[in-house]
Amino acid sequence: MITRRTLFASVGAAALAVSPTVVAQDFPSRPIRLVVPFPPGGALDAYVRAVQEDLGKALGQPVIAENLAGAGGAIGAQAVARARPDGYTLMAGTIQTLSMNAAVRSNLGYDPIKDFVPVVQTVMVNYILVVHPGLPVKTLPDLIAYAKANPGKVSYATSGTGSPQHMAVALLQAKTEIDLLHVPYKGIGAVLNDLLAGQVLMTIADQASLLPHVKAGKLRAIAGASRRRIADLPELPTIAETAGLSDYEAVAWQGLAAPASTPLAVVQRLNEAVNRVQTAPAMSERLRKMGFELVGGSADAFRQYIAADLAKWKKVARDNSITVTD
């Protein structure tokens, strides 16, 4: 016998079962806010500005980018983590906000695993190791030998303690047992100014920022930091192949994330739209010319990638006593 209570319970369960699909069919019905947790002008901001119009067309609603910078990306990340989990507030995340911050900051204010649901890994930004031409080295073995003969005298510039550049060099130091002098700055612009002037001697940073100066002969490229050679620099060997460090890799990746508990159907809708937009021939070529390597793929693949990357950089931070307290 079907009672009134049983009937209502059955109807309620059915409604819950189909609600994600209904949400996805209706989503989006208003503009989407895409938080960029860094100032304008960086690689992440450049990607967002490149795709936001086409992404808005694919979703049928405007995608509004908002730069909400501060605390190494933590302020913007906190804002998205606390937003309503309905797909209308997203974060353009990076290796720093979704991995490295949690590796080096004890009072972060958010958990990249618990407070977000990954949507899609968008692009990789290749890193390269460069030196000022005044440093008498031309290869990575040269640099390692010089650093060992001059411990603590080879200075390297980064965008700050715990930044991707800092962690990339820390990983290299740990694997080659060399002693370098860390000089932190506030942003890649300041890094480049002093590196070009010879005030600091090396860095590992994104190819988009460094490549023009390498091609102009103002900086010397020593090695690529990804596992594969960079398409724009096919003659440049990787750190892994030149130093025999088969497991060395340092790249700056990007991806979109939503607040935890965002419906799976909404995440899938966003994932499909981003994949479709950035693989369109004109857009993919535009992004490639900007120095980006397309990744794409499923939300679950991105989730697994974040977890593995976070474990990797936590070990680097622990082994090198890297912490950020501000």
Side-chain angles (χ1 to χ4, degrees):
M1 181 177 178
I2 300 176
T3 65
R4 185 174 181 178
R5 177 178 295 178
T6 303
L7 178 61
F8 284 167
S10 300
V11 171
L16 289 173
V18 301
S19 61
T21 302
V22 172
V23 168
Q25 288 174 346
D26 293 340
F27 177 86
S29 58
R30 62 179 190 273
I32 294 172
R33 176 191 182 208
L34 180 54
V35 173
V36 181
F38 297 99
L44 179 65
D45 189 69
Y47 171 84
V48 169
R49 304 297 171 177
V51 304
Q52 71 176 114
E53 183 177 354
D54 286 3
L55 185 57
K57 291 177 180 177
L59 290 167
Q61 289 289 338
V63 173
I64 301 171
E66 177 185 347
N67 293 89
L68 191 57
I75 290 177
Q78 289 171 14
V80 176
R82 296 166 185 165
R84 185 175 179 179
D86 54 11
Y88 289 97
T89 302
L90 306 174
M91 178 174 71
T94 66
I95 185 174
Q96 188 162 0
T97 51
L98 291 173
S99 177
M100 286 184 178
N101 274 350
V104 301
R105 295 174 182 264
S106 58
N107 298 311
L108 187 55
Y110 69 92
D111 186 311
I113 302 297
K114 295 179 181 179
D115 292 339
F116 293 97
V117 55
V119 173
V120 61
Q121 188 174 14
T122 52
V123 295
M124 293 279 195
V125 181
N126 289 309
Y127 269 28
I128 56 177
L129 191 164
V130 301
V131 299
H132 185 272
L135 191 65
V137 301
K138 293 186 177 180
T139 67
L140 183 55
D142 287 347
L143 175 61
I144 293 170
Y146 185 88
K148 287 186 174 181
N150 300 274
K153 294 184 179 179
V154 178
S155 56
Y156 70 95
T158 74
S159 291
T161 301
S163 66
Q165 299 96 340
H166 183 200
M167 301 293 274
V169 178
L171 180 61
L172 179 65
Q173 287 189 106
K175 290 185 174 295
T176 58
E177 299 181 340
I178 56 176
D179 180 17
L180 305 172
L181 176 63
H182 181 211
V183 184
Y185 291 83
K186 293 183 177 180
I188 192 65
V191 167
L192 287 172
N193 286 340
D194 275 11
L195 184 60
L196 291 167
Q199 300 299 315
V200 285
L201 298 175
M202 65 165 279
T203 192
I204 297 179
D206 67 279
Q207 71 173 77
S209 297
L210 299 177
L211 200 53
H213 304 293
V214 170
K215 291 183 175 180
K218 296 179 180 179
L219 295 175
R220 180 180 298 138
I222 298 295
S226 57
R227 285 204 176 100
R228 298 188 306 274
R229 291 198 178 196
I230 299 170
D232 290 336
L233 295 169
E235 74 289 349
L236 185 69
T238 67
I239 290 174
E241 65 184 290
T242 39
L245 306 174
S246 60
D247 60 344
Y248 182 94
E249 182 175 43
V251 294
W253 49 263
Q254 300 180 14
L256 300 192
S261 301
T262 298
L264 177 60
V266 170
V267 172
Q268 291 174 335
R269 174 87 170 91
L270 291 165
N271 176 280
E272 291 165 1
V274 173
N275 276 300
R276 185 165 68 253
V277 165
Q278 71 174 33
T279 55
M283 180 59 70
S284 62
E285 179 63 13
R286 179 182 179 185
L287 293 172
R288 189 196 68 76
K289 287 182 177 179
M290 293 170 67
F292 295 120
E293 181 178 327
L294 299 187
V295 181
S298 70
D300 189 60
F302 189 25
R303 178 189 61 77
Q304 294 179 46
Y305 186 92
I306 292 172
D309 200 65
L310 177 56
K312 168 184 173 178
W313 295 114
K314 278 186 173 181
K315 184 178 187 306
V316 172
R318 184 172 60 249
D319 291 349
N320 293 272
S321 301
I322 300 173
T323 59
V324 178
T325 57
D326 58 351

